[in-house]
Amino acid sequence: MNNIIEIQGLCKRFGDIQAVQDLNLKVREGELFAFLGINGAGKSTTINIMCGQLGKDQGSVTIDGADLDHNPDHIKRSLGVVFQSSVLDSALTVQDNLESRAALYGIAGQNFKSRLSALARLLDFEDLLKRPVGKLSGGQRRRIDIARALLHQPRILILDEPTTGLDPQTRKLLWNVITDLRKKEQMTVFLTTHYMEEAAEADYVVILDSGKIAAQGTPLELKNTYSGDYITLYGVEEQAVKAMNVEYEAIRDAFRLSVPDTAAATQLILKHPGIFRDYEITKGKMDDVFLQATGKKLEGGAEK
Amino acid sequence: MTVIKALIKRNMKLFFRDKGMFFTALITPAILLVLYISFLGNVYRDSFVTNLPEGFQLPEKLLNSLVGGQLISSILAVSCVTISFCSNFLMVQDKATGSIRDLTIAPVKGSALAISYYIASLLSTLLICLAAMVLCFGYLAVIGWYLSFTDVLCLLMDVILLTLFGTALSSIINHFLSTQGQISAVGSIVSSGYGFICGAYMPISSFGEGLQKVISFLPGTYGTSLVRNHSMQGALQEMSNYGMPQTAIQEFRDAMDCNLYFFSRPVSIPVMYLILGGTVALLLTIYILICKRKKRA
């Protein structure tokens, strides 16, 4: 697979604050790429530079084969962006909003009408076209934001915390649409999120801390590197667990044992076959990875 | 061109659908109307009557037309500028709400955005001001019509020129604003202050000499004078036909700001047009330069 985004040596400073420091990353075509970091880690700065909203101090950004410095318009046509908060015009109807935005890409008349009906079917907002955006619910508005980002059929969809504040049903709907788009149109998705379960679904994850990459890899690689495994053990007495001399915690109807990796879990089970009658082994979570890699907890974007 | 057309359509729709922005734009003309209905109209009428030469009388219709001409000139002169400021606040609101990001992530040139804001604001203001002008003409037709066809055409030109001036000035000032608070502050200052400094609320001739000199440097003053000249020209001519002495008419023109002086030197109507037209050209050049100089942070 080709790299559709390549960033090399990217630096950006705001006064005394080095927002992005020598950032290098590659995103492969068609993959779901997750960009994690607390607020102020440099995610939005990087995205803003990629979108041409912000100048860079150093480094190069190549997107869809075009260099940001020489062909920003090509890059703008390749990117569809769903901002953290909706930036559509609240006073205008859904159709007016999408019509004005489509015109920015030269899509008008019959081309716009056919694109609009395709998106309305895909994102299920045919009945919302005549309603002002300001009168829509959070979930409905998010669907329109995604439709706006997809108007010009971009090759890369940037989602900046797209599901924050949405109900589980709408989150599911959005993820179904995004998954569908990736499959059908080979669309690359560049995601920033605070939901670790969303990051865990990504093909590749980059964790950013103070403008630098703190960790990167597939979710499995990250979990293997930065977190251990857990064995949840049911139907045993605490004395028996204590005797195994491993770190554990009591949960409602079981004990959760922490082990360095799956091999260590296997060894422990083989050593105490009498105790391990009802159990399950799980990998560490992305939260643990994030905590290990940055020393910080990611909850709602704030450092904990 | 499609992009600019689409953006102009979007900007105009937003202005007319945003009731807050639309009605704020109408506050200053509304205040003027209330002031005239409640007391200013009577003040001017009494002033006209008491300043007539002794034993000289004018028909009621002519007096009404004089007061009406004063009223409509004030309303039109102020509206062209204050409404253009309000309609042009959209460029600030787009920054405050973040909508500008949604426009600039598309392959759209900054100049296209700047032009679309300017033209949309110009058209919105013209629509409102021309509608107001039609209402004003209707009012004059009821109370006393003395305008010639040339006066009407000149008034149309004055309104267009003043709107071009207001839109260019507001484009430059609004370019540097980025928050709702700044919109409120500038909106309040312009709405309340512009009527005074352009001579709409009170004639400039009634101000102190020092202030008059300062105000004579402001191009908007000449815009107001142009509108006043053309809205009162017919009635003043009619006063002459009634045998009113020319010296008295000249004094009257001085008092009503139909005659303006730059450090005691009279400014003729063609020169007023030159000042206003030149200012529009200068402001537009400044706006274009500002937009060109704006670089990415």
Side-chain angles (χ1 to χ4, degrees):
Chain A
M1 268 197 292
N2 296 327
N3 292 326
I4 196 160
I5 300 174
E6 282 188 35
I7 295 178
Q8 284 181 336
L10 186 68
C11 295
K12 178 69 187 175
R13 173 182 283 277
F14 297 106
D16 293 337
I17 299 162
Q18 187 74 50
V20 179
Q21 300 180 49
D22 194 26
L23 183 72
N24 295 288
L25 63 85
K26 287 175 183 169
V27 180
R28 287 184 184 171
E29 193 174 354
E31 80 178 358
L32 171 58
F33 179 93
F35 209 33
L36 294 181
I38 59 161
N39 287 342
K43 306 187 300 288
S44 295
T45 304
T46 307
I47 289 177
N48 283 335
I49 292 171
M50 285 165 61
C51 299
Q53 305 274 302
L54 200 62
K56 56 186 169 54
D57 296 337
Q58 267 179 50
S60 68
V61 177
T62 309
I63 295 174
D64 194 20
D67 186 281
L68 182 64
D69 294 331
H70 300 111
N71 203 350
D73 281 0
H74 177 90
I75 290 179
K76 286 181 175 184
R77 285 184 185 281
S78 303
L79 296 178
V81 184
V82 177
F83 292 102
Q84 204 168 330
S85 48
S86 182
V87 284
L88 292 172
D89 301 314
S90 304
L92 299 186
T93 64
V94 169
Q95 181 154 354
D96 284 344
N97 263 290
L98 296 178
E99 192 176 6
S100 66
R101 302 310 198 263
L104 305 179
Y105 299 90
I107 305 165
Q110 199 50 49
N111 287 344
F112 168 69
K113 280 181 189 158
S114 53
R115 186 67 186 143
L116 179 67
S117 57
L119 286 169
R121 269 196 312 276
L122 179 73
L123 290 155
D124 191 23
F125 63 85
E126 283 148 312
D127 52 335
L128 303 177
L129 287 171
K130 300 288 172 201
R131 284 177 62 185
V133 165
K135 299 240 158 72
L136 302 180
S137 70
Q140 289 169 331
R141 207 185 255 229
R142 221 63 185 128
R143 277 186 273 159
I144 310 305
D145 289 334
I146 293 181
R148 185 263 172 264
L150 297 175
L151 272 171
H152 55 294
Q153 293 173 293
R155 298 195 64 202
I156 304 156
L157 182 63
I158 294 180
L159 301 164
D160 194 2
E161 296 175 30
T163 53
T164 303
L166 296 183
D167 59 85
Q169 199 185 342
T170 312
R171 278 173 68 184
K172 198 176 167 197
L173 171 76
L174 290 188
W175 275 110
N176 286 344
V177 169
I178 291 164
T179 310
D180 211 32
L181 280 168
R182 288 184 57 216
K183 276 186 196 157
K184 284 183 188 161
E185 301 189 27
Q186 271 283 295
M187 188 177 279
T188 308
V189 177
F190 191 104
L191 165 80
T192 74
T193 182
H194 291 138
Y195 293 112
M196 288 300 168
E197 65 269 34
E198 289 178 353
E201 297 297 314
D203 297 306
Y204 200 80
V205 178
V206 164
I207 296 174
L208 209 59
D209 186 30
S210 305
K212 288 187 285 196
I213 292 178
Q216 62 180 316
T218 64
L220 181 66
E221 284 168 356
L222 288 172
K223 284 174 185 175
N224 285 340
T225 310
Y226 291 96
S227 79
D229 284 15
Y230 295 103
I231 310 170
T232 309
L233 189 52
Y234 303 95
V236 292
E237 293 297 322
E238 188 167 4
Q239 287 292 56
V241 177
K242 237 179 204 170
M244 286 191 282
N245 206 21
V246 290
E247 196 183 321
Y248 73 94
E249 62 172 319
I251 51 177
R252 197 174 179 88
D253 54 355
F255 294 94
R256 193 158 64 178
L257 283 59
S258 299
V259 287
D261 50 35
T262 314
T266 311
Q267 271 186 354
L268 191 68
I269 294 163
L270 290 173
K271 200 171 163 188
H272 307 279
I275 300 174
F276 288 91
R277 284 189 297 269
D278 186 4
Y279 64 92
E280 56 188 339
I281 303 174
T282 49
K283 288 270 174 210
K285 291 182 179 164
M286 287 301 289
D287 299 79
D288 305 317
V289 172
F290 193 86
L291 181 64
Q292 274 293 315
T294 66
K296 297 158 188 165
K297 269 191 176 178
L298 191 62
E299 280 177 35
E303 188 179 342
K304 300 279 170 181
Chain B
M1 209 56 202
T2 317
V3 172
I4 293 178
K5 226 169 92 180
L7 284 171
I8 291 171
K9 193 173 156 192
R10 173 230 176 218
N11 295 349
M12 287 183 72
K13 269 188 181 177
L14 271 174
F15 174 64
F16 285 106
R17 287 206 187 152
D18 187 334
K19 290 180 185 66
M21 202 145 64
F22 180 67
F23 286 114
T24 307
L26 300 180
I27 282 178
T28 314
I31 289 173
L32 259 173
L33 207 58
V34 170
L35 287 178
Y36 267 84
I37 290 168
S38 57
F39 74 99
L40 264 185
N42 288 334
V43 169
Y44 283 122
R45 174 184 289 271
D46 294 346
S47 161
F48 293 159
V49 173
T50 49
N51 284 309
L52 287 174
E54 214 176 303
F56 198 87
Q57 277 197 323
L58 287 175
E60 193 67 11
K61 184 184 165 192
L62 188 52
L63 275 174
N64 285 342
S65 181
L66 282 169
V67 178
Q70 162 85 2
L71 164 67
I72 71 160
S73 64
S74 297
I75 287 181
L76 291 177
V78 162
S79 303
C80 293
V81 175
T82 57
I83 294 174
S84 64
F85 261 88
C86 286
S87 60
N88 225 346
F89 277 144
L90 183 69
M91 73 160 79
V92 191
Q93 214 163 38
D94 278 350
K95 287 185 223 169
T97 59
S99 293
I100 191 73
R101 296 175 69 201
D102 203 29
L103 305 179
T104 52
I105 52 156
V108 176
K109 288 194 164 50
S111 56
L113 280 173
I115 290 168
S116 70
Y117 283 127
Y118 183 83
I119 296 178
S121 175
L122 182 72
L123 293 178
S124 303
T125 311
L126 272 178
L127 270 175
I128 298 174
C129 289
L130 292 178
M133 198 164 87
V134 170
L135 290 175
C136 289
F137 285 157
Y139 174 67
L140 277 188
V142 171
I143 60 161
W145 177 275
Y146 291 97
L147 297 183
S148 66
F149 183 64
T150 316
D151 291 335
V152 173
L153 285 184
C154 285
L155 272 170
L156 184 67
M157 190 160 74
D158 299 341
V159 166
I160 293 172
L161 207 55
L162 260 173
T163 307
L164 281 164
F165 164 71
T167 313
L169 181 66
S170 61
S171 296
I172 293 171
I173 293 174
N174 292 354
H175 184 87
F176 297 100
L177 312 180
S178 56
T179 65
Q180 294 284 1
Q182 288 168 339
I183 290 178
S184 305
V186 173
S188 307
I189 292 167
V190 171
S191 300
S192 54
Y194 186 74
F196 279 107
I197 59 169
C198 78
Y201 293 154
M202 302 290 288
I204 292 162
S205 60
S206 61
F207 296 159
E209 205 178 317
L211 190 56
Q212 280 189 40
K213 278 183 180 155
V214 173
I215 287 175
S216 68
F217 281 97
L218 305 177
T221 312
Y222 301 98
T224 311
S225 182
L226 281 171
V227 182
R228 191 151 297 160
N229 265 295
H230 296 127
S231 66
M232 298 180 82
Q233 181 59 37
L236 290 168
Q237 183 60 46
E238 192 64 13
M239 281 167 81
S240 182
N241 295 344
Y242 270 91
M244 179 119 160
Q246 278 306 310
T247 47
I249 291 178
Q250 282 309 319
E251 279 173 22
F252 190 80
R253 289 177 63 90
D254 283 351
M256 286 295 101
D257 292 343
C258 291
N259 293 337
L260 277 185
Y261 298 89
F262 186 77
F263 286 84
S264 308
R265 294 178 70 178
V267 181
S268 67
I269 287 185
V271 173
M272 288 185 195
Y273 274 123
L274 264 178
I275 292 171
L276 204 58
T279 308
V280 171
L282 178 70
L283 291 175
L284 280 177
T285 311
I286 294 171
Y287 182 51
I288 291 166
L289 289 176
I290 291 170
C291 292
K292 276 192 172 176
R293 277 173 64 94
K294 190 186 172 193
K295 288 178 183 165
R296 284 182 299 167

